[in-house]
Amino acid sequence: MAFREYTIGVRMFGLAFGTSMFITLYMPASDIRNVSVTETGLERQLSFGRVGGFSYEDPLLQGKAKPATVDITEDPKTGAPIEPTRAYVYASGVPFPNGIRHPMILGKKPMELSLGQGKISMADEAQGAVFVVRTEDVGGETVGYIENATATRGWVPEAAMKVATQETTHYIGKGKIMFVREGCWWCHTLLPEQTQDWQYFGAPPMLGDFNGESPTAFGSDRKAPDLTHVGSRNSSKEWMIMHFFNPRLVQPHSIMPRYDYLWGENDAAGNPIDFDGWRAEYDKYVANERVYPPEVPVPAKDSEAHALIDFVLNLK
Amino acid sequence: MFKYLFAKEEDIPAGSAAVFFGFSSILWFIVGTGLGSFNAAKLAFPDFVTGIEMLSFGHMRQVHVLAVILGWISMAFAMAMMYITPALGNTKLWSEKLGVWNCLIWNIGLALGLTLLWFGITSGREYSDMIWPIDLALIFGILLPLAVNVWMTIKTRRTQGIYTTNWFFGAATFMVLIVFSVGNSPEFFQLTGLTEAYLTWWFAHNVLGLWITPVAAAISYYIVPKVTGNPLYSHRIGHLHFWSVVVFYSTPAAHHLMSAPLPEWLKSFASVEGVLILVPAIAFVSNLLLTMSGKWKMFVENVEIKFTITGVLMAIPLNMQGGFQQTRAINWYIHGTGWIVAHAHLALLGFSTFLEAAAVYYGLQTLLRRKLYSLALANFHFWMLLVGFTTYWVSMTIAGLIQGAGKIYEVPYIDVVIAEHPYMIARWVGGTMVFLGNCVWLYNMWMTLRAGTLIPAGRLPHELAYER
């Protein structure tokens, strides 16, 4: 490097590359961090839990240590009837999402409300907590925030799970893990394309819809319909069950893989699933030797298929 | 290979690390393209191998992508760096032993990372799919040792100046370290939301712009003058290429997310900067093609030049697409369609692969001091790659235009899937041709090692190509 030209060159390189990094990293990051989270963003991060990819608590991506999302109409503490409420139940030991751990990422107003009225700083991972999303009118603007119902109303996780039924309990966080692990997002995007696409697949997301979510799994190579609002287009659990087991049952031209292996060993009634038998019967159906396709088993409550369907139906 | 791990530096023959990297890269190329062919078959025939989690499309797609990028392309880069950098500095590789270790750890680390991905253990971020412990191993165990070896070889050179190729090698090894560290920071530090989404594409853009594109170009800056005997047409245009890569190519990351709710100034800025990548692209292509002047018959006769110039020529459609398809006027039509898949393969399987293949062909012959076993097989490999790739590119571009039209005219999605079906079959045929061509290549290089004619001292391999 004895050449004077190279000494200058190295400094020029540092300046050029540094400027580029300043513009493409520091400036966008300082812009994005000021964004206030929307209600959608709060619902997403609370239902997904801390991480949707590899993490300490779930190294093999089996959907462990994730919150349960419950729709309740009864106060878990008093038993009194309440307005239909969606609550996010974090059993003891389930890690909180980033909005609770680092309220700064919620943006100024939602952070102040979540800390003040919502008492989220009192939540303790070791004990578990129940969260709900609330809104407040701040100077004519509706601001969503997180309420730690364990601190404000004495709702404990066990009680909240008790007042919910099997139909009103959703394993959305576990389902997000399945969505990431099974690579659904290699074909189904979670971000509508520009302009005309919005009429077909719904409104594009807002700036604050993703605070606290990781990974966002937007996807880039769209070989299949966008799923941002799929739960609003198609809310049929039966259709989803058939579609995941073998997409060609409901859409003969689909190129989606079969996800029957997410059913596990037993169906919802506890009976072992005979996959080979099912496939043999299905082949007969395809060969026109049967009029109807074989019956698709209903996935068990703790199966991966059940969680994935919960996740997809809740993309609204 | 293993006997050199604990040998003394002076007992390791010069070029060992490069030879190991060369053969490793060909093996990974076969793995990567084989997986690509398998995945393409699934898109054409969804019930081909079904019901097994490990063999489902969602588990295999990212393994294909990263086997090709980190196995084939990056290992071919390491191979090229380990013989070109010392050759241009009139010296030896700084540490042959470090190079051999680097190759071993690279193979082990990559095999481990890809196996985990295959099992579904992923960070869920496209291109930075590897989980963060593997990312750290990649940065500190693989890319850093490579960079140190390159930098120290340049530092201990015995020439006064530094040739164009080595500016790129020195700078790109530095930039890729920054790109890997920053691009994976959402996993290290649990960054979430749009920051995570943006950094995912910041990584994906810059790993191409600051690693794959400049290093591939740098290789051809060596191969073309060396094999043709012509000096590089212009050192100054080389300067323009280098500096415009650093300034322009490092900035348009956000143009991958034009439909995301990112700040509008960022998307507009990225789009303008994205057009400016035509500056390094035109500088590179014109410099190389003008260097060929008077030697164009070698484009037909010489296998290394045939590969290199084909790659350089592919840079023209590549950058014309790349520069303009990210502007809002075009992006809304083709974003998220097969057009982009075709474009990505034009960059990695077209432009870049042809340049690296030339480096591996030339390097293995030079280092082993053996003439290519069969020129006919090399030509067969070339045509399998070119015809296979072209079939892929044309079919995916058409599929992409169909998808784009379906998107804006709000055609029911399933009709788009039906319309694409023939092109999915064509893409599978094209990809399979590339895979089969690579199997022939490995055989040819292995036989070169075992049975190639020895090259006498003072002669270059391509001079003997047509001698018996």
Side-chain angles (χ1 to χ4, degrees):
Chain A
M1 290 294 187
F3 251 175
R4 194 172 61 94
E5 284 82 345
Y6 293 142
T7 320
I8 297 168
V10 165
R11 285 178 192 163
M12 290 281 288
F13 175 79
L15 179 70
F17 194 60
T19 309
S20 157
M21 296 300 101
F22 180 82
I23 297 172
T24 62
L25 290 171
Y26 180 77
M27 285 170 59
S30 55
D31 235 16
I32 294 171
R33 64 177 287 218
N34 289 323
V35 170
S36 285
V37 65
T38 58
E39 272 177 73
T40 310
L42 291 174
E43 286 162 8
R44 287 174 80 97
Q45 64 167 302
L46 286 173
S47 57
F48 296 157
R50 191 173 77 95
V51 179
F54 170 82
S55 63
Y56 282 131
E57 60 272 12
D58 187 21
L60 302 177
L61 278 83
Q62 294 163 312
K64 288 187 175 153
K66 295 289 159 209
T69 305
V70 295
D71 294 318
I72 53 176
T73 51
E74 196 181 311
D75 189 306
K77 192 182 182 198
T78 61
I82 53 170
E83 288 272 295
T85 304
R86 176 156 274 206
Y88 305 91
V89 184
Y90 284 71
S92 105
V94 174
F96 292 155
N98 261 17
I100 312 280
R101 296 175 156 222
H102 311 287
M104 191 185 79
I105 66 151
L106 299 175
K108 194 163 176 287
K109 285 179 190 166
M111 174 183 79
E112 284 167 4
L113 286 170
S114 302
L115 287 171
Q117 266 128 298
K119 299 204 166 104
I120 56 168
S121 56
M122 289 170 71
D124 178 10
E125 274 184 6
Q127 311 233 310
V130 178
F131 299 105
V132 289
V133 175
R134 299 280 170 199
T135 53
E136 172 98 6
D137 202 48
V138 183
E141 183 196 350
T142 311
V143 179
Y145 67 96
I146 305 173
E147 180 181 314
N148 172 13
T150 309
T152 54
R153 297 150 197 256
W155 294 2
V156 290
E158 297 75 30
M161 292 304 285
K162 255 183 213 144
V163 295
T165 63
Q166 201 170 312
E167 279 71 47
T168 55
T169 307
H170 315 288
Y171 298 99
I172 302 172
K174 181 179 173 183
K176 167 88 187 270
I177 292 277
M178 300 303 136
F179 189 83
V180 168
R181 189 190 73 188
E182 294 304 324
C184 307
W185 53 289
W186 290 126
C187 304
H188 294 280
T189 48
L190 290 180
L191 184 69
E193 295 291 339
Q194 298 146 79
T195 60
Q196 272 88 340
D197 214 36
W198 301 341
Q199 297 171 26
Y200 201 98
F201 292 122
M206 309 284 282
L207 205 51
D209 281 358
F210 304 102
N211 295 26
E213 184 184 344
S214 170
T216 38
F218 286 156
S220 64
D221 174 10
R222 197 174 84 180
K223 301 184 271 296
D226 183 82
L227 296 185
T228 314
H229 303 290
V230 65
S232 307
R233 288 201 298 276
N234 182 348
S235 58
S236 163
K237 202 166 203 166
E238 290 67 33
W239 189 92
M240 292 291 169
I241 289 173
M242 288 173 79
H243 187 243
F244 278 113
F245 200 79
N246 184 337
R248 263 112 6 238
L249 289 174
V250 288
Q251 179 45 267
H253 297 289
S254 169
I255 58 167
M256 181 169 136
R258 303 182 195 182
Y259 286 95
D260 46 5
Y261 54 80
L262 295 179
W263 259 246
E265 310 245 306
N266 300 314
D267 66 8
N271 303 319
I273 303 172
D274 175 17
F275 289 102
D276 294 332
W278 195 95
R279 284 179 196 134
E281 289 297 311
Y282 174 76
D283 290 343
K284 280 188 197 164
Y285 163 70
V286 173
N288 269 336
E289 289 166 25
R290 271 180 74 114
V291 179
Y292 296 110
E295 199 69 21
V296 173
V298 177
K301 194 165 69 80
D302 58 352
S303 68
E304 295 179 336
H306 184 96
L308 183 55
I309 291 171
D310 276 351
F311 170 77
V312 170
L313 287 176
N314 276 285
L315 290 168
K316 283 182 178 165
Chain B
M1 176 176 183
F2 298 104
K3 70 180 174 188
Y4 295 138
L5 291 176
F6 299 102
K8 284 187 193 136
E9 176 71 26
E10 57 268 28
D11 294 339
I12 307 176
S16 301
V19 170
F20 294 137
F21 265 117
F23 278 102
S24 304
S25 71
I26 302 176
L27 276 170
W28 281 110
F29 197 14
I30 291 177
V31 170
T33 49
L35 286 168
S37 162
F38 185 79
N39 292 349
K42 293 194 146 221
L43 290 175
F45 311 106
D47 281 333
F48 167 70
V49 188
T50 191
I52 304 163
E53 176 164 11
M54 295 295 289
L55 299 178
S56 70
F57 181 84
H59 281 253
M60 309 269 285
R61 193 240 196 222
Q62 61 274 49
V63 185
H64 157 67
V65 171
L66 292 182
V68 172
I69 292 180
L70 297 173
W72 156 238
I73 292 176
S74 297
M75 276 184 154
F77 284 171
M79 188 261 184
M81 288 174 182
M82 285 192 186
Y83 81 87
I84 295 176
T85 314
L88 288 172
N90 195 16
T91 182
K92 290 201 303 186
L93 187 65
W94 179 64
S95 170
E96 203 67 53
K97 195 167 173 174
L98 179 64
V100 175
W101 272 99
N102 196 347
C103 182
L104 178 74
I105 293 172
W106 198 321
N107 276 303
I108 294 173
L110 185 60
L112 180 67
L114 292 180
T115 310
L116 291 176
L117 275 188
W118 194 16
F119 277 90
I121 301 168
T122 170
S123 64
R125 306 175 60 229
E126 188 167 0
Y127 290 106
S128 32
D129 310 73
M130 299 277 196
I131 60 174
W132 62 262
I134 300 284
D135 292 333
L136 288 176
L138 272 168
I139 294 166
F140 294 106
I142 291 172
L143 295 174
L144 188 63
L146 172 69
V148 168
N149 225 345
V150 170
W151 298 336
M152 291 311 289
T153 306
I154 294 176
K155 198 166 168 13
T156 56
R157 71 188 184 278
R158 294 193 293 178
T159 55
Q160 193 180 27
I162 303 175
Y163 179 65
T164 319
T165 298
N166 276 353
W167 313 335
F168 278 103
F169 284 174
T173 43
F174 172 75
M175 292 191 288
V176 78
L177 281 168
I178 303 288
V179 169
F180 255 83
S181 313
V182 177
N184 286 300
S185 58
E187 295 162 48
F188 304 147
F189 304 115
Q190 251 284 293
L191 307 179
T192 53
L194 282 178
T195 314
E196 183 271 332
Y198 174 60
L199 279 174
T200 300
W201 288 101
W202 185 90
F203 174 87
H205 177 83
N206 285 339
V207 81
L208 283 156
L210 304 180
W211 175 242
I212 294 177
T213 313
V215 179
I219 289 172
S220 58
Y221 274 116
Y222 174 77
I223 296 285
V224 173
K226 181 78 185 171
V227 175
T228 59
N230 282 353
L232 182 66
Y233 174 73
S234 165
H235 217 61
R236 284 194 183 171
I237 298 181
H239 267 287
L240 178 65
H241 178 199
F242 178 85
W243 288 105
S244 53
V245 162
V246 175
V247 175
F248 299 140
Y249 224 139
S250 58
T251 46
H255 70 208
H256 293 260
L257 283 169
M258 293 298 265
S259 59
L262 284 173
E264 286 301 315
W265 71 262
L266 180 63
K267 287 195 260 182
S268 299
F269 170 77
S271 197
V272 173
E273 294 283 305
V275 178
L276 289 174
I277 64 161
L278 285 167
V279 175
I282 293 170
F284 162 66
V285 171
S286 54
N287 211 357
L288 264 292
L289 295 186
L290 288 167
T291 303
M292 283 294 290
S293 89
K295 294 289 170 64
W296 276 98
K297 71 178 193 329
M298 294 187 91
F299 182 36
V300 181
E301 291 173 357
N302 177 277
V303 70
E304 290 86 15
I305 291 294
K306 191 184 284 179
F307 269 101
T308 305
I309 295 301
T310 308
V312 172
L313 290 172
M314 282 197 207
I316 299 171
L318 170 70
N319 289 290
M320 286 296 161
Q321 282 192 337
F324 293 112
Q325 72 188 15
Q326 45 83 37
T327 58
R328 288 175 201 249
I330 301 177
N331 192 257
W332 69 284
Y333 195 90
I334 47 97
H335 185 263
T337 69
W339 172 287
I340 303 293
V341 183
H343 173 75
H345 282 79
L346 179 58
L348 298 186
L349 178 56
F351 160 72
S352 143
T353 282
F354 280 78
L355 301 184
E356 288 124 40
V360 175
Y361 268 113
Y362 186 77
L364 283 181
Q365 291 179 73
T366 313
L367 297 167
L368 298 168
R369 300 301 303 162
R370 280 175 188 276
K371 201 177 105 177
L372 201 56
Y373 173 69
S374 165
L375 190 60
L377 286 181
N379 278 322
F380 178 73
H381 176 221
F382 173 82
W383 287 107
M384 285 294 269
L385 240 59
L386 187 60
V387 175
F389 159 73
T390 309
T391 310
Y392 185 101
W393 185 74
V394 170
S395 61
M396 284 314 290
T397 300
I398 297 173
L401 291 172
I402 294 174
Q403 278 176 296
K407 182 169 81 177
I408 65 157
Y409 295 116
E410 298 169 42
V411 174
Y413 206 94
I414 195 64
D415 293 339
V416 176
V417 174
I418 294 167
E420 279 180 311
H421 180 64
Y423 304 100
M424 292 293 137
I425 297 175
R427 118 199 268 203
W428 169 62
V429 171
T432 308
M433 283 178 75
V434 172
F435 166 66
L436 294 176
N438 288 335
C439 296
V440 171
W441 187 24
L442 180 65
Y443 171 76
N444 198 11
M445 291 330 280
W446 182 251
M447 290 308 289
T448 301
L449 171 72
R450 302 305 298 264
T453 312
L454 280 174
I455 298 170
R459 303 292 302 277
L460 292 170
H462 62 272
E463 296 169 354
L464 310 174
Y466 291 96
E467 289 174 17
R468 287 197 181 270

